[in-house]
Amino acid sequence: RAFVVDAAANINNTGDSSNFTVDTTFPLITLQSTYDTNNSFVPRRYITLNITVNETNLQNFTVALKNGTNTASTQNVTGNSTPAWNMINFTNLADDKYNITVTAEDKAANRNTTFPNISVTVDATLPSIIVFLPSANSSVLAAADGSGIVLNFSAADNARSTCWYKIVDSAGTVNVQNTTLSGCSNTTVAVTKKDTFHLKLYANDTAGNVNSNFSVFAVTLPVSDPVSKTSGGGGGGGAPPGISLELL
């Protein structure tokens, strides 16, 4: 209620009581961990956020999505009080790193903004894999020292994580179980018997996208110089010294 008194001591008042609220508390913004979180990678074309705003007198609630300096999308949200969480979806997104800014303002003009911004990377593209060696439908001569054959490949992705492979023979027996390639580097594969093999090479990225490629190839084995294995003189036949034979 408001009162007014003049110099003659006349008093007047509004006759009505006026209620008002003192609010000096800023809205509290929390990103819940049940969906996409800060600094996460997602293997899809959308981002889903679960945001809680703790504020009794919420006025405005805005979520802005930016890639670089460009604002890709903005949502004005009607904040929930019961429950306090708010499900936010940004869809049809290209592969990119996105920064999300959440701003909440109450009826007393107290404003809060998430800082630093929430960062989520959209990566829905599979790694690219090419097997160079052993090439498909080729015949490969295993190394004479028993080390096997060369595996030469390319696995490309902006956020490549892990590469691994397995090898199965013609009978369906796994000769080399899923084996991780350190640094996704070329290597020598321990295949030391004559047979036809199925090599499958895999790669994944930080977002969890997995791709694979394969090569079916035959392995032949070298044999040592038969002359060097005979004792004493004489003995004919065989291959001339210095020449190896390939067992087909």
Side-chain angles (χ1 to χ4, degrees):
R1 179 178 295 182
F3 293 86
V4 177
V5 181
D6 62 16
N10 297 306
I11 301 175
N12 198 6
N13 61 76
T14 60
D16 297 316
S17 297
S18 298
N19 298 318
F20 61 92
T21 301
V22 176
D23 182 356
T24 60
T25 303
F26 289 84
L28 178 62
I29 302 170
T30 305
L31 176 65
Q32 303 298 328
S33 60
T34 49
Y35 289 89
D36 299 335
T37 57
N38 190 27
N39 295 321
S40 62
F41 286 74
V42 296
R44 42 183 160 76
R45 299 293 182 193
Y46 63 91
I47 294 173
T48 299
L49 304 173
N50 185 353
I51 300 172
T52 298
V53 177
N54 188 3
E55 171 58 54
T56 304
N57 304 302
L58 186 63
Q59 179 72 25
N60 298 312
F61 176 20
T62 303
V63 183
L65 182 74
K66 293 185 177 182
N67 54 337
T69 58
N70 301 317
T71 299
S73 182
T74 300
Q75 292 189 29
N76 295 313
V77 183
T78 301
N80 294 325
S81 56
T82 306
W85 54 266
N86 301 270
M87 195 71 70
I88 313 298
N89 289 292
F90 292 99
T91 59
N92 300 320
L93 301 176
D95 283 6
D96 208 339
K97 180 177 181 179
Y98 294 90
N99 292 320
I100 299 111
T101 302
V102 183
T103 302
E105 183 177 3
D106 63 21
K107 295 177 181 179
N110 298 305
R111 174 181 291 190
N112 198 5
T113 301
T114 53
F115 185 82
N117 294 334
I118 302 164
S119 174
V120 177
T121 300
V122 171
D123 179 2
T125 302
L126 300 179
S128 172
I129 303 175
I130 302 173
V131 179
F132 298 113
L133 294 174
S135 57
N137 302 316
S138 63
S139 180
V140 181
L141 181 65
D145 61 3
S147 59
I149 61 172
V150 172
L151 172 57
N152 187 295
F153 68 97
S154 169
D157 191 274
N158 291 331
R160 189 188 65 196
S161 178
T162 308
C163 301
W164 68 98
Y165 70 96
K166 72 175 181 179
I167 296 178
V168 179
D169 65 19
S170 60
T173 303
V174 177
N175 280 224
V176 180
Q177 190 53 273
N178 291 333
T179 301
T180 300
L181 293 160
S182 177
C184 288
S185 299
N186 297 324
T187 190
T188 300
V189 178
V191 176
T192 57
K193 71 176 183 178
K194 178 187 175 184
D195 203 348
T196 299
F197 295 91
H198 185 285
L199 163 73
K200 194 161 188 178
L201 180 67
Y202 303 84
N204 66 4
D205 59 23
T206 309
N209 298 298
V210 180
N211 201 6
S212 63
N213 205 340
F214 69 94
S215 176
V216 177
F217 60 97
V219 171
T220 58
L221 302 179
V223 294
S224 58
D225 183 353
V227 174
S228 65
K229 292 185 178 180
T230 61
S231 59
I243 297 179
S244 295
L245 294 179
E246 181 179 311
L247 180 61
L248 299 177

